[in-house]
Amino acid sequence: MPRYFTDEHEWIDVDGDNATVGITDYAQSQLGDIVFVELPETGSQVSKGKDAAVVESVKAASDVYAPITGEVLESNPALDDDPALVNSSPEDEGWFFKLAIADKAELEGLMDAAAYKAFCDSL
Amino acid sequence: MSTPNASGWKPGTPAKDDHGMDGPPTVTGNRALMLEEPLIFEIGTSQTTGVDLPDVPSSTSSRLGSFTRADEIGLPGLSEPEAIRHYTRLSRQNYAIDLGLFPLGSCTMKHNPRLNEKVARMPGFADVHPLQPVDTVRGALEVINELAVWLIGLTGMDGVAMSPKAGAHGELCGILCIRAALEARGDAREVILVPESAHGTNPATAAFAGYRVENIPATGEGRVDLEALKSRLGPDVAAVMITNPNTCGLFERDMKAISDAVHAAGAFVYCDGANFNAIVGKVRPGDLGVDAMHINLHKTFSTPHGGGGPGSGPVVLSEALCPYGPLPFTARTKDGVVHLVEEENAEAFDHKHAFGRMTAFHGQMGMFTRALAYILSHGADGLKQVAEDAVLNANYVLRSCDDLLEAPFGPSGPCMHEALFSDAGFAEDTTTLDLAKALIDEGYHPMTMYFPLVVHGAMLVEPTETESKASLDRFIMALRSTAERAKAGDPTLKTAPHYAPRRRLDETQAARKPVLAFDGPCAPAGTPQLSEQGGS
């Protein structure tokens, strides 16, 4: 299952026609303790590069952007009760939402793990 | 060590710790004049009352008529001295501008001269009602009009809407004027451009008014990227909202060039004037091509805010926007009389295109009297000195610390009224939060932290014009000392504050699982009451 990254520090796992989206370990470490996550509703449309979710830490509230366009299939219900999952398991249990991919061509231009690591090291 | 209370919550500060506090524990938890204070629910009981009500008449069985109380209502009953002591004790655990320097600055609070308060309490201003006949409130209207004339003069604009009740309300008023002006020429535009260095309320206002918001990047020196802005301008752009001085504490030097480009593209310039206190008397936004700008009276003209005072955000307008300004407003006719212009007489005053009202009435009268008292007691020369001293003080802090703390925009030149530092150079694991907590031990309220977001671990210090050099020197000494400890990785910073009424609070838990209401029982019946304590 290939994983891609954006320069806004989201990750996206592609599984056939669907994908799972979250924020990276680097993102959670910069945000600090996450206290609230606002997720898109099932059935809503998200567009590549546009805001799809909001994450709030003790320091700041930040938008989370959709890495690609699609329809939201499911939001992570565990984040309602335990937003700290984003800190403890950002790239696994702390996923944000799953979506049906509208156009796979949009995946081109996203970074792979090695490119994202190099990107973070350059910051 | 300290008295447990009914909720099981205990004071966090031990009577003796490893950092200098010494001496035996006290049974009350108090330390001489440092008093521990339980919650008000834990002091009073629901069985007592501080009011002596007449007996229930013999003809009725209940004060509630035909109703019968089924449950306890859970409100504590306290006598007047108990209630006064409770809140006075709590106030002693607070930090206030009347106690010391407040580096959060004018956005939260700055010194409110007592003269303003005296003037605002005069019955002719304090006791008027907005529906009183105009002939009975001529003095109040005179004050509103006089303040309006000052604001127009200080900003070099053509008119002012006095009614908006706060800065963001003023932003909305300005954007609604812009929309009315665009609609009047049949020009539907849907985008408002907001630079990264603008206040967070700017994009919120634009979105609230129905516009799509697009960001304009900042340059490396912390100012609007003029070329990026120019390249984005087009027939779909309604306005640009710029905060000047901006959130990086810098003056937008290209403001006139920005305005010219925006006007050439048929759009309007909204300026967030929250930071006008840094340039009042020095720069007139009207000369820079601004079309609308709100003024936070509390920031620039010292009306009370941090203590919970109401906001007030008059909006000055350019000639192009004046015809669309909201009702009501005041106008002086040639005979010297100040009139209130409302819907009924708007046509007579040639103001037929008002977009409507922002509020039911005229605005925050109490803030108008305070602001005008501040303006008249300072005079034009004094206001100019306010800006100069605010900027001088901030630069004094900046240059007294920038050898130790990284000042990301230090090379960009002098700052305005705020000095901005980052956490670069701190020991690993030591954060801006740790430094801020250590400042509490030194007797200062911390500065603004983690804002603006473009600076890592930001610390934004606004000393305001009020502070003397001696006061600033003491603060700088404290800031430098804590900064040195942060760079050296002093482990006691991680456990600060050590000497505050409470130690480090769990802010994460407070945000994740906030407890917003007291859910325990009131103090049990039988708790000693005033009469048993020998009170009168």
Side-chain angles (χ1 to χ4, degrees), chain A residues 13 50 101 111 114:
Chain A
D13 276 347
K50 302 290 181 191
I101 301 171
M111 287 176 271

Side-chain angles (χ1 to χ4, degrees), chain B residues 420-423 432 448-453 455-460:
Chain B
L420 180 58
F421 302 103
S422 83
D423 63 0
T432 292
T448 301
M449 299 185 298
Y450 299 111
F451 184 86
L453 299 175
V455 172
H456 197 274
M459 289 166 274
L460 189 63

